[in-house]
């Protein structure tokens, strides 16, 4: 199964080759991104674990990919997983956390494609496939989740929380600098805490302006032939981004510059991180094992789990507990509720389409929009009053002069 998965991923990485008259012909450079590779692998592993848990497969057996390419087994895996979610949505009773419906739908799609590859005859079972798709269609919504709506509303309703979101990099940087000065004298555990804080401050220096998805920001390359992020010596106050499609979920290349200002100094934070804490990360085996290090990346192989836990811990201390993906919702919602907001500009910052921005990411606080509408109406009314009254006064003056 692992071998079949490796071959499948290799095919997906380079699908743009077709058989020509004299051999293979490349017709496209498009292949799956790293997001999809990870998602496909996770989906197949989930399916394998389900089959073992349900007793259809034994961990020690040498089962092939054809053995597990069964739609009836896939339907049962989906049914049991959705049943877990329905029985224990808050994870109070089960010894594992049930997978959400959105992630299960993603798993189903990837396993279905893998099943079709292993056994093309499974494509003929259209009724079963459409039945499962229909169930997910009823369960899922493309709109922002209630949890994220509540989070965004709490920010838009509280100026202090909004200030924390937009200035988290500066707040964390101040604390990280103090901790870093004492780094050589700290215990291994305390050093790890310092490096977590320093890394989060550097990540926040990017996310508070360009809120990338967590996988993208953690995989930004700093070194190599064509790095995703540059700290140019000729522009000491600028951070340059030219992020490749491979690490972006929607496969849209992102290009932009981030400059230091009086209120925000991302370049200063990143220079400090690269010149100090980052070097320590690459030599601290307790913090980042050798096998996990990726020296070409800005954050050296720092993983998502640690990033999410560190962000939740420090953001809670600052009065606003948030998860990694909520950077995107927060920044988009703050921008779109500003006076004179340009939706296309905000979509460009988010590197998504306007439709996706409005449907999934930006929370529009209706009371603010209504108040803004009333202010504009009052301005119009005042302007009309002034023009009409002036016109009437002039007309009255003219009549008097005529008399």
């Amino acid at each position: 199964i692992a071998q079949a998965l490796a071959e499948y991923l290799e095919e997906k990485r380079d699908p743009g080759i077709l058989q020509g008259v004299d051999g293979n012909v490349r017709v496209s450079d498009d292949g799956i991104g790293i997001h999809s590779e990870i998602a496909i692998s996770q989906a197949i592993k989930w399916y394998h674990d389900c089959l073992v848990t349900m007793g259809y497969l034994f961990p020690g057996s040498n089962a092939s990919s054809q053995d597990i390419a069964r739609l009836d087994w896939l339907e049962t895996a989906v049914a049991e997983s959705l049943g877990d979610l329905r029985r224990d949505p808050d994870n109070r009773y089960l010894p594992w956390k049930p997978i959400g419906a959105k992630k299960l739908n993603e798993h189903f799609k990837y396993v279905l494609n893998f099943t079709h590859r292993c056994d093309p005859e499974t494509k003929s079972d259209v009724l079963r496939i459409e039945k499962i798709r229909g169930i997910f269609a009823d369960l899922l919504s493309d709109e922002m989740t209630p949890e994220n709506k509540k989070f965004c509303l709490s920010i838009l309703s509280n100026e202090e929380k909004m200030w924390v979101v937009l200035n988290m990099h500066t707040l964390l940087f101040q604390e990280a600098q103090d901790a870093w000065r004492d780094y050589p004298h700290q215990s291994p555990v305390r050093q790890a805490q310092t490096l977590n804080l320093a890394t989060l401050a550097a990540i926040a220096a990017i996310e508070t302006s360009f809120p990338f998805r967590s996988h993208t920001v953690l995989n930004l390359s700093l070194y190599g032939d064509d790095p995703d992020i540059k700290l140019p010596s000729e522009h000491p106050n600028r951070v340059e981004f030219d992020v490749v499609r491979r690490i972006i979920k929607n496969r849209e290349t992102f290009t932009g510059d981030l400059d230091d200002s009086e209120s925000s100094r991302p370049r200063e934070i990143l220079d400090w991180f690269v010149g100090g804490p980052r070097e320590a990360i690459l030599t601290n085996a307790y913090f980042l094992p050798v096998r996990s290090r990726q020296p070409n990346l800005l954050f050296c192989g720092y993983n998502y789990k640690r990033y999410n836990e560190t962000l939740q811990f420090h953001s809670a201390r600052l009065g606003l507990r948030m998860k990694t993906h909520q950077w995107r919702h927060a920044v988009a919602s703050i921008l779109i509720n500003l006076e004179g907001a340009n939706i296309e500009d905000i979509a460009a910052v988010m590197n998504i389409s306007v439709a996706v921005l409005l449907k999934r990411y930006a929370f529009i606080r209706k009371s603010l929009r209504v108040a803004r509408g009333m202010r504009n109406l009052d301005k119009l009314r005042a302007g009309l009053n002034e023009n009409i009254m002036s016109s009437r006064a002039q007309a009255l003056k003219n009549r008097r002069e005529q008399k």
Side-chain angles (χ1 to χ4, degrees):
I1 296 171
Q3 181 62 30
L5 174 59
E7 294 172 358
Y8 179 60
L9 291 176
E10 188 61 34
E11 293 172 3
K12 301 291 285 184
R13 289 189 195 105
D14 196 11
I17 296 179
L18 297 177
Q19 179 66 43
V21 175
D22 299 320
N24 292 337
V25 178
R26 177 171 292 282
V27 297
S28 170
D29 292 325
D30 286 341
I32 61 171
I34 190 67
H35 284 87
S36 297
E37 280 193 37
I38 294 173
I40 292 171
S41 298
Q42 289 177 340
I44 304 305
K45 291 175 183 176
W46 161 81
Y47 182 47
H48 179 273
D49 288 349
C50 285
L51 296 182
V52 172
T53 303
M54 296 184 300
Y56 294 169
L57 202 64
F58 296 98
S61 64
N62 191 24
S64 68
S65 56
Q66 288 77 16
D67 293 334
I68 67 170
R70 295 181 51 170
L71 289 185
D72 57 337
W73 283 7
L74 178 56
E75 179 182 1
T76 304
V78 170
E80 291 295 337
S81 298
L82 287 175
D84 286 347
L85 184 62
R86 185 182 181 89
R87 287 189 293 268
D88 191 15
D90 300 322
N91 191 213
R92 295 180 181 177
Y93 311 110
L94 292 173
W96 58 82
K97 182 178 179 181
I99 301 175
K102 184 176 181 181
K103 176 59 70 173
L104 282 173
N105 184 42
E106 183 180 284
H107 283 350
F108 165 70
K109 291 178 180 178
Y110 286 130
V111 174
L112 180 64
N113 290 335
F114 182 72
T115 300
H116 289 338
R117 179 204 182 263
C118 298
D119 184 2
E121 292 185 4
T122 55
K123 295 180 181 179
S124 62
D125 197 350
V126 178
L127 291 179
R128 190 191 301 271
I129 295 171
E130 291 304 315
K131 175 184 177 182
I132 300 174
R133 285 175 175 166
I135 290 173
F136 279 118
D138 292 338
L139 291 174
L140 297 175
S141 169
D142 286 338
E143 297 180 354
M144 188 188 298
T145 64
E147 178 188 4
N148 287 328
K149 286 182 180 179
K150 183 179 179 181
F151 171 76
C152 292
L153 179 59
S154 71
I155 294 173
L156 298 173
S157 306
N158 189 313
E159 287 189 351
E160 187 169 344
K161 289 184 177 181
M162 191 183 301
W163 176 80
V164 168
V165 169
L166 297 180
N167 292 279
M168 192 174 294
H169 58 312
T170 303
L171 300 173
L172 295 174
F173 179 47
Q174 292 169 351
E175 294 183 14
Q177 282 181 304
D178 293 338
W180 178 246
R181 292 188 188 98
D182 193 42
Y183 181 82
H185 310 293
Q186 296 171 352
S187 67
V189 173
R190 182 68 182 117
Q191 285 183 339
Q193 293 172 345
T194 296
L195 293 178
N196 275 324
L197 177 59
T199 304
L200 181 61
I203 292 175
I206 298 172
E207 293 290 277
T208 49
S209 296
F210 295 152
F212 294 115
R213 290 178 175 86
S214 57
H215 186 83
T216 300
V217 74
L218 293 177
N219 283 277
L220 292 172
S221 61
L222 180 64
Y223 301 109
D225 295 334
D226 191 17
D228 301 307
I229 184 170
K230 298 177 183 177
L231 306 175
S233 57
E234 62 273 19
H235 299 292
N237 296 318
R238 176 175 298 171
V239 184
E240 297 178 353
F241 294 86
D242 189 6
V243 186
V244 297
R245 299 168 59 193
R246 179 169 166 73
I247 64 172
I248 297 179
K249 186 176 182 180
N250 63 2
R251 311 304 305 283
E252 293 289 337
T253 301
F254 179 85
T255 303
D257 295 337
L258 192 55
D259 293 314
D260 284 356
S261 65
E262 292 185 4
S263 60
S264 178
R265 307 192 66 81
R267 174 62 187 268
E268 179 183 342
I269 297 174
L270 291 176
D271 280 341
W272 168 82
F273 173 74
V274 171
R278 186 179 183 278
E279 295 297 323
I281 289 174
L282 289 172
T283 58
N284 189 325
Y286 180 84
F287 181 78
L288 189 64
V290 175
R291 65 179 181 276
S292 301
R293 294 175 190 169
Q294 301 183 58
N296 64 310
L297 300 185
L298 174 60
F299 298 111
C300 312
Y302 195 71
N303 65 50
Y304 168 77
K305 183 175 184 293
R306 183 176 288 181
Y307 168 33
N308 192 43
E309 290 174 349
T310 304
L311 174 61
Q312 290 192 54
F313 174 77
H314 287 288
S315 61
R317 286 195 309 104
L318 296 173
L320 182 67
R321 185 181 182 87
M322 62 185 292
K323 301 176 182 178
T324 57
H325 198 65
Q326 289 176 326
W327 282 119
R328 293 176 66 76
H329 293 293
V331 174
S333 297
I334 290 172
L335 288 174
I336 205 167
N337 283 282
L338 292 176
E339 192 86 39
N342 185 300
I343 296 178
E344 292 184 353
D345 290 345
I346 300 170
V349 170
M350 300 290 295
N351 202 36
I352 52 179
S353 67
V354 170
V356 173
L357 170 70
L358 295 175
K359 192 169 188 178
R360 299 183 187 175
Y361 282 99
F363 178 80
I364 300 176
R365 189 181 176 194
K366 291 184 178 180
S367 59
L368 289 177
R369 304 302 286 268
V370 170
R372 190 179 303 159
M374 291 301 98
R375 287 197 298 272
N376 291 333
L377 191 61
D378 283 341
K379 289 180 182 178
L380 176 62
R381 184 182 291 113
L384 289 172
N385 287 344
E386 183 178 353
N387 292 339
I388 297 300
M389 295 305 292
S390 176
S391 176
R392 288 183 176 181
Q394 185 62 42
L396 180 60
K397 179 181 178 181
N398 291 339
R399 286 198 297 271
R400 287 174 176 174
E401 289 176 351
Q402 290 174 359
K403 290 181 179 180

